[in-house]
């Protein structure tokens, strides 16, 4: 499968701690995106990182991309109960005009 | 701007019936994509429309079809429903159809087939 794979599948942390989620993929990409999904709702775009970028920040979010290892990580610092959600990576492959391919997500629980 | 609107929010259908789901993209967005989300398979791409033309199609049977209207609104239809079609169906829009643009998702239609 060309899907990105998130790791871990589930993560439970205390409020105030940092949360790190990883995404691995198999083929060359054009860009990689992270999305958040609250239970039963649609996905919300968080960050897009292009293949020639190594790191991007947005508020408490930090995304890194290592194309040599075909992996990305999403770090949420000083987590809050409201960060409880599923987080998905989505990859845009270099193969051509193909749509985003989503992984199966990491379920993050932040305990107050 | 209003977000992506999907209707209805919930649907319960019986095996063998057909169903039509609707999606109104963000104003000015010309690309609409549909995804099926299930606990076992995750998010699976169904199809994508840009300016009323289907640009890409996922690996789903012909029972799944869609279309896009001149105002960019989109519908998807599932005929001869099966139990396995129970899922959250998500619609997403983007402004120019470039796969380098983030997708804006609606809250989905939860379809239950009994």
């Amino acid at each position: 499968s060309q899907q990105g794979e998130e790791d871990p599948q589930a993560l439970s942390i205390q409020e105030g701690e940092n949360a790190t989620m990883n995404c691995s993929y198999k083929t060359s990409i054009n860009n990689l995106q992270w999305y958040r999904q609250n239970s039963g709702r649609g996905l919300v775009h968080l960050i897009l990182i292009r293949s020639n970028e190594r790191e991007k920040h947005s508020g408490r979010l930090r995304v890194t991309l290592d194309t040599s290892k075909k992996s990305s990580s999403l770090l949420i610092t000083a987590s809050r109960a409201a960060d409880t959600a599923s987080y998905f990576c989505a990859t845009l492959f270099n193969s051509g005009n193909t749509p985003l391919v989503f992984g199966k997500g990491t379920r993050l629980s932040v305990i107050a | 701007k209003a977000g992506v609107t999907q209707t209805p929010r919930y649907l319960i259908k019986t095996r063998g019936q057909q169903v039509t789901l609707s999606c109104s993209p963000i104003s000015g967005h010309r690309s609409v994509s549909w995804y099926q989300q299930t606990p076992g398979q995750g998010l699976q791409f169904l199809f994508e429309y840009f300016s009323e033309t289907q640009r890409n199609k996922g690996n789903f049977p012909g029972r799944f079809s869609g279309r896009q209207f001149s105002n960019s609104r989109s519908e998807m239809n599932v005929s001869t429903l099966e139990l396995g079609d129970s899922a959250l169906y998500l619609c997403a829009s983007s402004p120019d159809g470039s796969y380098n643009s983030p997708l804006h998702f609606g809250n989905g239609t939860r379809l239950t087939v009994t």
Side-chain angles (χ1 to χ4, degrees), chain B residues 78-94:
Chain B
V78 188
S79 63
T80 319
L81 284 166
E82 300 176 359
L83 294 179
D85 297 334
S86 294
L88 180 66
Y89 290 87
L90 293 163
C91 163
S93 72
S94 67

Side-chain angles (χ1 to χ4, degrees), chain B residues 20-36:
Chain B
T20 299
L21 312 181
S22 179
C23 172
S24 293
I26 291 172
S27 178
H29 285 196
R30 295 166 62 193
S31 169
V32 173
S33 300
W34 289 89
Y35 286 84
Q36 180 196 66

Side-chain angles (χ1 to χ4, degrees), chain B residues 37-88:
Chain B
Q37 186 177 28
T38 58
Q41 297 298 317
L43 279 143
Q44 300 285 308
F45 173 75
L46 281 158
F47 25 65
E48 186 238 346
Y49 289 87
F50 180 75
S51 294
E52 301 180 68
T53 300
Q54 186 181 88
R55 287 204 304 181
N56 272 296
K57 189 177 191 306
N59 189 26
F60 278 81
R63 300 185 297 106
F64 291 81
S65 63
R67 58 179 176 168
Q68 186 181 34
F69 302 95
S70 58
N71 61 358
S72 293
R73 191 177 70 85
S74 177
E75 289 181 348
M76 67 163 283
N77 184 79
V78 188
S79 63
T80 319
L81 284 166
E82 300 176 359
L83 294 179
D85 297 334
S86 294
L88 180 66

Side-chain angles (χ1 to χ4, degrees), chain A residues 88-102:
Chain A
F88 296 86
C89 69
T91 44
L92 178 65
F93 295 104
N94 277 339
S95 58
N97 192 26
T98 55
L100 283 180
V101 177
F102 286 82

Side-chain angles (χ1 to χ4, degrees), chain A residues 1 3-6 9 37 86-89 102-107, chain B residues 37-44:
Chain A
S1 166
Q3 279 181 324
E5 292 185 9
E6 290 92 342
Q9 289 186 336
Q37 183 180 34
S86 292
Y87 292 81
F88 296 86
C89 69
F102 286 82
K104 292 193 176 181
T106 291
R107 184 166 186 82
Chain B
Q37 186 177 28
T38 58
Q41 297 298 317
L43 279 143
Q44 300 285 308

